[in-house]
């Protein structure tokens, strides 16, 4: 069983985005790269609720079901 350490961050617009704990205890945003052919950028997964966001990240980023993963959730951070 895989263990994932995550935390949610709430921005000023009321949306949540998610971060994972990386090496040396640093927090990294979870997202995906978009390549337009002439340039690219990094999009971060966002959603209105934590449950929608977690389902999307597990499905698209980790490609696992919630039953096959152990999730350790750290406290939410609110950005003012």
């Amino acid at each position: 069983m895989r263990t994932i350490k995550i935390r949610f961050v709430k921005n000023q617009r009321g949306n949540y985005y998610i971060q994972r704990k990386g090496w040396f205890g640093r927090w990294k945003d979870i997202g995906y790269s978009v390549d337009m052919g002439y340039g690219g950028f990094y999009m971060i997964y966002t959603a209105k609720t934590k449950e929608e966001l977690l389902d999307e990240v597990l499905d698209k980023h980790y490609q696992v079901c919630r039953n096959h993963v152990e999730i350790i959730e750290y406290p939410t951070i609110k950005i003012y």
Side-chain angles (χ1 to χ4, degrees):
M1 183 176 280
R2 187 174 182 180
T3 303
I4 300 172
K5 298 176 182 176
I6 60 168
R7 74 176 177 189
F8 295 97
V9 180
K10 188 172 186 178
N11 63 10
Q12 297 166 346
R13 296 181 181 169
N15 293 333
Y16 288 97
Y17 64 92
I18 194 167
Q19 294 180 333
R20 66 177 172 87
K21 195 166 194 177
W23 286 23
F24 306 116
R26 297 188 65 191
W27 291 97
K28 296 186 172 197
D29 295 332
I30 297 178
Y32 55 95
S33 296
V34 177
D35 186 18
M36 304 291 241
Y38 50 85
F41 57 93
Y42 190 74
M43 268 314 264
I44 298 171
Y45 291 108
T46 59
K48 286 283 186 190
T49 64
K50 292 179 182 181
E51 292 80 21
E52 290 176 12
L53 180 58
L54 184 60
D55 288 339
E56 182 179 5
V57 168
L58 288 177
D59 185 38
K60 293 182 180 176
H61 184 75
Y62 289 107
Q63 298 174 348
V64 295
C65 181
R66 192 180 282 203
N67 298 333
H68 301 290
V69 101
E70 180 184 351
I71 300 169
I72 300 173
E73 183 179 344
Y74 286 83
T76 301
I77 294 178
K78 186 173 182 181
I79 296 179
Y80 295 100

